[in-house]
Each structure stands twice: as structure tokens, then as C-alpha cells.
Amino acid sequence: MPSNCAVYNCGHHSKRDKEISFFRFPAIIKHQGEETKVLSEERRRLWINNVSRDADDLTEEKLESTRVCSHHFISGKNNI
């Protein structure tokens, strides 16, 4: 499914911009212990803060299909 980059004021689109990679928001890992769950929740929260979008705007359903383009990563890759 084609998607727009979730970062505020970014106009990259996966259908049009083939040379750009698009990354999913980190999943919350619930079955590997409490520490892993807390770390994955924090990682997701940081991603939401860094895309300059209101957390209320990005519901769990929206986060499943929302992507961030490679232009917003220092190396152009998701190195998490």
C-alpha cells in the first residue's frame, strides 16, 4: 500500500519516490519481558515525538500503516 511520509511537512510518497526507503514505526514488543516492553514503548514514543505530530493524531491503527522516509535518518537507514 502506498504511503506518505509521516513527518510534518514532508512530501515524499512511496509510489512516486522509488529511490527513498520507508520505515514502519517500531512495534511494542509484549512477549519478551517487561524491560523489553518498556524499551519498545519508549522507542515508539520517541519516533512519534520526532515526526512532529500530535500523539493523539497517530492512533494505534494509523501507526500500523504510517511510515517515515529515509530522508529523516542520518545514514538514510533505520539503524534501530
Side-chain angles (χ1 to χ4, degrees), residues 1-4 12-20 22:
M1 173 167 62
S3 63
N4 292 322
H12 291 120
H13 190 275
S14 62
K15 188 90 170 168
R16 180 189 62 227
D17 302 313
K18 299 286 186 189
E19 71 283 355
I20 298 173
F22 287 80

Side-chain angles (χ1 to χ4, degrees), residues 59-77:
T59 63
E60 286 300 317
E61 290 104 26
K62 287 183 182 179
L63 285 173
E64 290 297 318
S65 61
T66 302
R67 307 288 188 269
V68 176
C69 77
S70 57
H71 279 243
H72 306 289
F73 294 89
I74 293 171
S75 67
K77 297 179 183 174

Side-chain angles (χ1 to χ4, degrees), residues 15-80:
K15 188 90 170 168
R16 180 189 62 227
D17 302 313
K18 299 286 186 189
E19 71 283 355
I20 298 173
S21 298
F22 287 80
F23 303 102
R24 292 176 181 255
F25 277 75
I28 296 175
I29 302 168
K30 300 176 182 175
H31 61 280
Q32 293 182 4
E34 188 62 27
E35 184 178 351
T36 301
K37 181 180 179 218
V38 170
L39 288 172
S40 63
E41 288 172 338
E42 176 66 11
R43 182 178 298 133
R44 180 178 271 204
R45 187 190 64 72
L46 288 171
W47 273 53
I48 292 170
N49 288 344
N50 287 331
V51 297
S52 302
R53 299 268 303 269
D54 186 14
D56 295 334
D57 181 36
L58 293 173
T59 63
E60 286 300 317
E61 290 104 26
K62 287 183 182 179
L63 285 173
E64 290 297 318
S65 61
T66 302
R67 307 288 188 269
V68 176
C69 77
S70 57
H71 279 243
H72 306 289
F73 294 89
I74 293 171
S75 67
K77 297 179 183 174
N78 174 1
N79 293 325
I80 291 179

